[in-house]
């Protein structure tokens, strides 16, 4: 038997906390105010599975943002929030219309279809945004038994390409979808960044304009983990509690999810974090615009910058800073800023980019 003294390891830091990249806002750590909230919720016993005081108070906090009919169902992650939402909004024969670039279509491993048991009907877009006209490319065949029935339109705010819907654009989508007897889901993994970009409350482009169900994101905005399905229209869903459990998204110690969302939303932490991340993306974009040979591909409206540069430059630059290709064949890349990105981080990255472009 091994000597425990030889295999035991103490908790220790395994990374350099000064290193930051531009790969994803998921790379960022946790905001200190959220860590403090977790410590506050710790200690003693609280009822499990959402009957705790923190989850109860989260409901009141959500009402302040999304109105008195809003009901929040905390879950572990964004994929879980989207799958549970769409399951609750569709029948076994139902389909969801979404942009071809939507996270539910590209980055969730087929979970909406394999786990949720629904069909995705995708539409190509130039900027990641759906319109009533684009929706109509898939909004047909409700009486055709050979075709999955369109029942939900799902949009992302802000979009996977970093663009932001205006409230009027979302209102038009909701009115159009509701006119066809469909409901509307909003993937709000970065909803705070969209609100900061538009400089309006989140309700202005959600329940006020007709969104039925919202996937509210916390992880990308400073939480350790945790998102929530926020039901804005109770008539749009069925059996949410049962579907959350069935989809393995029911946390036993739910207070530790709820207290993080409360810490974000009870004050202005959610907005401070998002405004800062957006501002760093603007600083990055302004610096990039002054570098010959680098093209910005989409309007920089939130905390993402999409650019095109020589393939060899990207490969060298990736050895200095972490970030991803978006379309490797075309040479497109994505640079993300987070709540903890600093001006010094951005300036150091811009200097490295200039050096690599000069070397090219």
């Amino acid at each position: 038997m091994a000597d425990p003294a030889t295999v035991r390891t103490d908790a220790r830091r395994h990374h350099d906390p000064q290193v930051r990249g531009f790969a994803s806002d998921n790379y960022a750590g946790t905001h200190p105010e959220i860590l403090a909230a977790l410590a506050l919720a710790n200690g003693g016993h609280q009822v499990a599975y959402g009957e705790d005081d923190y989850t109860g108070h989260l409901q009141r906090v959500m009402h302040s943002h999304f109105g008195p009919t809003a009901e929040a169902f905390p879950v572990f992650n964004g994929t879980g929030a989207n799958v549970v939402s769409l399951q609750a909004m569709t029948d076994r024969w139902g389909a969801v219309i979404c942009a071809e670039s939507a996270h539910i279509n590209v980055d969730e491993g087929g979970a909406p279809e394999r786990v949720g048991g629904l069909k995705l009907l995708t539409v190509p877009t130039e900027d990641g945004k759906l319109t009533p006209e684009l929706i109509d490319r898939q909004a047909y065949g409700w009486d055709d038994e050979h075709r999955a029935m369109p029942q939900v339109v799902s949009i992302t705010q802000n979009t996977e390409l970093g663009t932001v819907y205006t409230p009027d654009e979302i209102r038009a989508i909701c009115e159009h979808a509701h006119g066809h007897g469909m409901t509307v889901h909003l993937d709000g993994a970065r909803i705070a960044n969209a609100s900061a970009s538009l400089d309006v409350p989140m309700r202005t482009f959600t329940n006020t304009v007709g969104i039925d169900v919202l996937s509210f994101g916390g992880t990308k905005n400073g939480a350790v983990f945790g998102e929530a399905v926020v039901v804005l229209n109770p008539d749009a869903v069925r059996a949410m509690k049962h579907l959350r459990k069935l989809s393995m998204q029911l946390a036993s110690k739910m207070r530790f999810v709820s207290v993080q969302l409360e810490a974000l939303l009870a004050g202005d932490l959610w907005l401070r974090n998002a405004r800062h991340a957006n501002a760093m993306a603007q600083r990055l974009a302004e610096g990039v615009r002054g570098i010959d040979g680098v093209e910005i591909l989409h309007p920089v409206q939130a905390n993402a910058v999409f650019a095109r540069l020589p393939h060899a430059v990207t490969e060298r630059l990736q050895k200095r800073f972490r970030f991803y290709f978006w379309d490797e064949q075309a040479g497109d890349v994505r640079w993300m800023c987070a709540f903890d990105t600093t001006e010094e981080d951005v300036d150091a990255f811009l200097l490295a980019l200039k050096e690599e472009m000069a070397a090219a």
Side-chain angles (χ1 to χ4, degrees):
M1 179 181 296
D3 181 355
T6 66
V7 297
R8 177 175 175 268
T9 58
D10 294 322
R12 64 189 68 185
R13 192 187 298 277
H14 294 286
H15 77 291
D16 181 353
Q18 301 304 314
V19 173
R20 294 185 181 89
F22 294 86
S24 173
D25 34 13
N26 284 325
Y27 278 42
T30 302
H31 195 281
E33 292 181 35
I34 294 180
L35 288 176
L38 284 166
L40 183 69
N42 198 28
H45 286 200
Q46 280 275 288
V47 184
Y49 299 110
E51 299 299 320
D52 60 275
D53 294 338
Y54 296 91
T55 303
H57 188 259
L58 177 63
Q59 302 302 327
R60 297 189 288 276
V61 173
M62 285 293 185
H63 292 166
S64 71
H65 287 280
F66 301 107
T69 64
E71 185 175 9
F73 296 84
V75 296
F76 290 113
N77 55 44
T79 298
N82 287 336
V83 170
V84 171
S85 296
L86 297 175
Q87 275 186 300
M89 300 172 76
T90 54
D91 295 309
R92 287 291 302 275
W93 51 87
V96 176
I97 299 172
C98 64
E100 193 173 67
S101 57
H103 197 273
I104 57 174
N105 182 52
V106 176
D107 290 302
E108 295 187 349
E113 296 179 316
R114 293 176 63 86
V115 178
L118 52 92
K119 173 67 175 175
L120 296 179
L121 302 174
T122 64
V123 181
T125 70
E126 291 186 0
D127 56 2
K129 296 163 68 172
L130 288 179
T131 64
E133 294 74 24
L134 290 174
I135 289 169
D136 279 345
R137 295 187 183 184
Q138 293 285 11
Y140 64 91
W142 286 277
D143 294 325
D144 184 354
E145 67 267 36
H146 301 288
R147 189 173 194 267
M149 181 187 292
Q151 293 184 315
V152 178
V153 174
S154 180
I155 62 175
T156 309
Q157 176 77 316
N158 44 270
T159 75
E160 291 77 8
L161 299 182
T163 53
V164 175
Y165 287 96
T166 67
D168 285 342
E169 287 172 332
I170 295 180
R171 185 192 302 275
I173 287 171
C174 291
E175 290 177 351
H176 192 72
H178 293 159
H180 282 303
M182 298 186 291
T183 53
V184 184
H185 164 258
L186 188 144
D187 180 347
R190 296 184 176 95
I191 187 174
N193 299 94
S195 183
S197 176
L198 293 167
D199 197 25
V200 298
M202 291 181 287
R203 71 175 71 90
T204 306
F205 56 86
T206 55
N207 52 302
T208 299
V209 295
I211 294 294
D212 296 291
V213 179
L214 161 69
S215 295
F216 181 88
T219 308
K220 292 177 171 63
N221 200 29
V224 180
F225 65 90
E227 325 283 300
V229 176
V230 184
V231 177
L232 305 174
N233 173 15
D235 295 331
V237 300
R238 295 176 299 283
M240 269 296 309
K241 289 171 62 176
H242 299 280
L243 286 170
R244 179 173 58 173
K245 176 66 172 181
L246 182 67
S247 300
M248 298 172 285
Q249 288 291 318
L250 179 65
S252 56
K253 297 184 180 181
M254 196 179 294
R255 59 171 151 160
F256 296 110
V257 180
S258 298
V259 75
Q260 294 182 74
L261 299 177
E262 178 189 355
L264 280 170
L265 291 169
D268 67 346
L269 180 60
W270 66 277
L271 189 56
R272 282 188 279 128
N273 285 353
R275 281 176 172 165
H276 178 79
N278 289 3
M280 293 302 98
Q282 288 295 334
R283 185 182 185 92
L284 176 57
E286 286 303 313
V288 168
R289 291 188 182 100
I291 302 175
D292 290 338
V294 182
E295 175 188 1
I296 292 180
L297 300 174
H298 303 292
V300 180
Q301 296 176 332
N303 63 323
V305 178
F306 290 81
R308 179 173 297 161
L309 60 157
H311 195 282
V313 170
T314 295
E315 290 187 325
R316 291 198 304 272
L317 192 58
Q318 284 175 327
K319 295 177 182 178
R320 303 171 67 174
F321 291 88
R322 287 295 300 266
F323 64 91
Y324 294 118
F325 276 106
W326 187 256
D327 181 341
E328 186 168 2
Q329 185 173 8
D332 299 349
V333 299
R334 186 190 73 168
W335 297 320
M336 298 296 303
C337 296
F339 79 90
D340 63 349
T341 303
T342 67
E343 293 183 356
E344 292 75 16
D345 295 332
V346 173
D347 294 345
F349 181 78
L350 288 170
L351 177 61
L353 176 58
K354 292 176 183 177
E355 290 173 351
E356 298 299 348
M357 287 297 295

